[in-house]
Amino acid sequence: MIERDEALRAVEGSLDRPSAARIYDYFIGGSTNWAIDRAFAEKVRARLPLMGDYCLTSRQFLGRAVRQCVRAGVHQFVDIGSGLPTAGNVHEVADQERPQQDVHVLYIDNEPIALAHSQILLDDTADPERHEAIAADLLQPEELWDRVMDSGVIDVRRPIALIVNAVLHFIKDDQDPDGLLEYYRHRLAPGSLLVLSQMTNENPVDDDERQALADLLEYYESTTNPGVLRTMAEFERFFGGWPLLKPGLVYAPAWHPDKATVFAKAPSESRVIGGVARKPSL
Ligand SMILES: C[S@@+](CC[C@H](N)C(=O)[O-])C[C@H]1O[C@@H](n2cnc3c(N)ncnc32)[C@H](O)[C@@H]1O
């Protein structure tokens, strides 16, 4: 556990570049972002006016997916790239869906600021027996999984909902996302669920949108997290052929939409794809 002073020092030391976690926080209406992040976000919005709604789409998909995982009987969550705490954090959604207070959640991020804020939130609101936030890097799978096992919050012999939501667009193909996902899928017990979403460049409406999405990637090169967009076909492989829960891999707003879902009437305008798959029994 890092101390508040250390957390604040981590924040101060990170203000030379916009941070993907804080930009996203700004877009979804959070309050943990700085001038450098907001200026970057507004530059993106000038090129992609609906970027804020794409981020909100990702966050809303996360909440609906967590609810469905709880309903499907999985009560442990490992949330890799959990980001900054904001409305609808996984432990809050899960505890609301299952008031028995027996859902366990481990938040993981490699960004010190996200971790610091998660720990502050958990200090204030969570149950230390069931909820924890740790630092680890998706790109260092053995180390990350050791920390999951050492956390004392997650029993890796039982099904887990592994969430990698709005993170894989920060993992380029030369960083071996296939090998990473294969490693994590292999570690999960049968019956586990894999929740994945990312931003897509599937089927842009016209050349201007195609170029705007290319510009987005170029802008993100100057942040802490350069990115990559993927089509549905390029993204589906990360589920490793596991059967997808209904309705499959879709534009995120088409995945169990509710009253609040943005783009519910036109999911393909959202630029976010997502799905949930279940690990079959051996
Ligand atoms: C766009 S935010 C998504 C936050 C949250 N998952 C959600 O859906 O609301 C992406 C997060 O992924 C984190 N991230 C990016 N690369 C990572 C890596 N290699 N390991 C762990 N976290 C990473 C960033 O620090 C950031 O907090």
Side-chain angles (χ1 to χ4, degrees):
M1 178 73 78
I2 62 177
E3 301 299 328
R4 264 171 209 253
D5 285 356
E6 201 181 326
L8 292 171
R9 277 199 300 278
V11 172
E12 280 162 15
S14 72
L15 296 175
D16 57 331
R17 273 191 299 169
S19 128
R22 299 188 312 237
I23 296 161
Y24 179 79
D25 176 76
Y26 174 66
F27 272 130
I28 63 177
S31 54
T32 316
N33 47 74
W34 274 256
I36 193 166
D37 310 306
R38 295 190 284 272
F40 178 87
E42 290 308 335
K43 178 173 138 183
V44 170
R45 205 198 305 267
R47 189 69 184 94
L48 272 174
L50 296 180
M51 187 65 186
D53 286 341
Y54 304 155
C55 295
L56 191 56
T57 296
S58 298
R59 190 70 187 176
Q60 292 184 335
F61 170 76
L62 172 68
R64 300 196 305 279
V66 167
R67 276 201 190 87
Q68 293 295 331
C69 290
V70 173
R71 287 179 200 162
V74 175
H75 301 147
Q76 306 190 89
F77 291 83
V78 173
D79 184 4
I80 305 182
S82 48
L84 286 155
T86 183
N89 298 300
V90 171
H91 75 286
E92 294 161 337
V93 175
D95 280 355
Q96 192 185 48
E97 186 63 33
R98 189 173 161 83
Q100 288 90 329
Q101 304 286 303
D102 61 356
V103 178
H104 290 227
V105 178
L106 184 61
Y107 292 107
I108 300 178
D109 209 286
N110 69 339
E111 175 147 337
I113 308 114
L115 177 71
H117 283 284
S118 297
Q119 290 184 336
I120 290 167
L121 170 92
L122 293 180
D123 266 1
D124 293 344
T125 67
D127 173 354
E129 301 286 314
R130 300 188 293 118
H131 309 132
E132 201 181 324
I134 60 170
D137 194 325
L138 175 73
L139 303 176
Q140 307 291 336
E142 288 95 355
E143 206 176 305
L144 182 148
W145 205 252
D146 281 348
R147 290 191 191 163
V148 171
M149 290 194 293
D150 290 347
S151 69
V153 172
I154 299 292
D155 178 355
V156 296
R157 295 163 304 180
R158 293 178 32 238
I160 292 169
L162 181 71
I163 301 172
V164 189
N165 193 62
V167 178
L168 285 167
H169 44 228
F170 297 120
I171 312 296
K172 295 190 176 183
D173 284 346
D174 63 7
Q175 294 173 300
D176 192 22
D178 300 274
L180 293 165
L181 265 295
E182 188 185 0
Y183 179 92
Y184 293 117
R185 288 195 307 269
H186 192 64
R187 291 291 161 295
L188 296 171
S192 291
L193 297 169
L194 183 59
V195 178
L196 302 178
S197 82
Q198 86 147 76
M199 268 195 76
T200 185
N201 52 359
E202 179 91 17
N203 220 5
V205 286
D206 54 24
D207 283 346
D208 186 53
E209 192 187 21
R210 191 184 308 278
Q211 187 55 49
L213 291 168
D215 292 348
L216 174 72
L217 294 183
E218 200 187 307
Y219 294 170
Y220 265 82
E221 287 293 317
S222 68
T223 72
T224 53
N225 302 78
V228 57
L229 303 177
R230 295 187 174 92
T231 63
M232 292 255 188
E234 288 166 342
F235 189 63
E236 186 163 16
R237 69 187 202 260
F238 297 140
F239 293 101
W242 290 1
L244 286 152
L245 304 193
K246 285 185 179 159
L249 172 59
V250 292
Y251 286 102
W255 204 90
H256 299 274
D258 57 26
K259 277 193 298 206
T261 304
V262 285
F263 298 112
K265 292 202 174 110
S268 66
E269 288 174 17
S270 74
R271 298 279 121 229
V272 182
I273 51 177
V276 180
R278 190 187 279 275
K279 182 167 184 171
S281 304
L282 297 175

